[in-house]
Amino acid sequence: MEKDYSSLDAVIHKYRNRKGSLIPLLQEVQEILGYISREAMRYISDSLSIPAADIYGVATFYSMFKLKPQGRHIIRVCKGTACHVSDADSILKALRELLGLDNGEDTTVDMMFTLMEVACLGCCSLAPVIMIDDTTFGKLNADMLPGILDRFRALEEA
Ligand code: FES
């Protein structure tokens, strides 16, 4: 069954005659849906008579756009130089194990966490660093990770 994208109609109408407004349009679509699916791209394409390839090109070029559902908490693992030399790889490996993520997977089955690798988070003196949502955790070792994840699990149970 095809999903109903009529919730996007007001946003699409808002940008209908505004040339060069694909980025803000997609930002608002992402706010509504949580991510930008291929079906949503097709809906926008049909509604605005914009080639779907143009929408896909913009959505895949900018890392701010998410093309699949994301977990409720985003874990950013810094892979910048300072973190890399401080063994960010072991932090990433430990997180993948704790979250039960196989290679190629980035979101937990319960949709609680999405794991992503990022460049410098801007606090290199704390390497290795991760950020969960808006909170930074530095000078990490793998033993600290279960407690950090439990803090976020507890937030959801509260
Ligand atoms: S390299 Fe990781 S915070 Fe800068």
Side-chain angles (χ1 to χ4, degrees), residues 50-122:
I50 297 173
D54 291 359
I55 298 170
Y56 184 80
V58 170
T60 54
F61 182 79
Y62 294 99
S63 61
M64 65 184 158
F65 293 126
K66 309 304 173 207
L67 306 183
K68 53 186 183 178
Q70 304 289 293
R72 295 183 295 283
H73 301 286
I74 306 297
I75 304 174
R76 293 175 174 82
V77 179
C78 180
K79 295 292 295 276
T81 304
C83 289
H84 176 71
V85 299
S86 298
D87 205 14
D89 282 344
S90 69
I91 298 296
L92 183 62
K93 183 172 180 262
L95 278 169
R96 295 190 79 70
E97 284 176 16
L98 287 166
L99 297 172
L101 297 173
D102 290 331
N103 281 340
E105 293 178 341
D106 59 9
T107 299
T108 55
V109 173
D110 61 5
M111 300 301 292
M112 185 174 288
F113 295 107
T114 291
L115 183 65
M116 57 178 62
E117 299 176 31
V118 297
C120 182
L121 286 167

Side-chain angles (χ1 to χ4, degrees), residues 17-29:
N17 294 314
R18 292 206 222 160
K19 281 209 175 305
S21 58
L22 198 47
I23 291 174
L25 166 64
L26 291 177
Q27 285 174 318
E28 290 198 37
V29 167

